[in-house]
Amino acid sequence: MKKFVLCTALALVALSSHAGPGEDRQKSFKQILRSFEPMGVMLRGTSFHKDSFAQHADALKAASAAPFAMFKPGSIDDTSRAKPTIWSEPAKWKSEQDKFLQAVNQLQATAKGNDLAAVRRDYNAVASSCKSCHDSFRGPVR
């Protein structure tokens, strides 16, 4: 009986610690932010370090596609801020993804060069892409 109770308790803990789709997506987008925000700090400040910026751009590129695979139909939960238009307007949703991924690719390429004005321009293009998608497909905090 003790083994049964222990196994049941462990199973409940395991189930309760699993994040839902909304939390999984948020964690994945936060991974993107961990690369993107330090680049913005460098561009707004006086301490731009090309090599560090390029490393963050590489990390951004590596993390950029992951969240989009997590938007399965019917995956809105209590944590999710996804709007149903993600699934009702799939062409627009795909277009926003493509714009973001293209902007990230361009920023990664530009980060390897020496043109700080181009780096700023391409960083802002990524930021604009994020905002555009959020405006269309991200709802308020629940």
Side-chain angles (χ1 to χ4, degrees):
M1 182 67 175
K2 287 182 184 179
K3 285 183 182 180
F4 175 75
V5 171
L6 179 62
C7 287
T8 303
L10 288 174
L12 288 173
V13 168
L15 288 174
S16 66
S17 66
H18 174 71
E23 189 174 340
D24 289 342
R25 290 189 293 256
Q26 287 176 357
K27 286 178 182 178
S28 190
F29 280 118
K30 284 181 184 177
Q31 183 66 33
I32 289 172
L33 280 176
R34 282 192 274 285
S35 301
F36 193 64
E37 286 179 339
M39 290 190 287
V41 169
M42 276 190 249
L43 291 174
R44 287 186 297 274
T46 57
S47 59
F48 179 79
H49 300 286
K50 178 185 166 190
D51 293 338
S52 178
F53 191 93
Q55 287 175 342
H56 285 297
D58 289 342
L60 175 64
K61 167 68 174 154
S64 63
F68 299 107
M70 297 180 188
F71 287 90
K72 306 292 182 204
S75 63
I76 294 179
D77 59 16
D78 291 338
T79 305
S80 179
R81 293 177 63 186
K83 291 181 180 178
T85 52
I86 288 173
W87 299 280
S88 66
E89 298 179 24
K92 185 176 177 184
W93 169 243
K94 177 71 171 128
S95 175
E96 290 291 344
Q97 287 178 53
D98 291 345
K99 283 189 240 176
F100 171 72
L101 295 173
Q102 288 170 1
V104 168
N105 287 342
Q106 183 61 47
L107 177 61
Q108 183 190 32
T110 306
K112 292 174 180 21
N114 291 316
D115 187 348
L116 186 56
V119 169
R120 280 193 167 93
R121 178 198 66 221
D122 292 343
Y123 175 89
N124 289 332
V126 173
S128 293
S129 176
C130 292
K131 182 181 180 335
S132 176
C133 192
H134 286 182
D135 288 349
S136 298
F137 296 109
R138 184 181 191 201
V141 175
R142 295 177 185 228

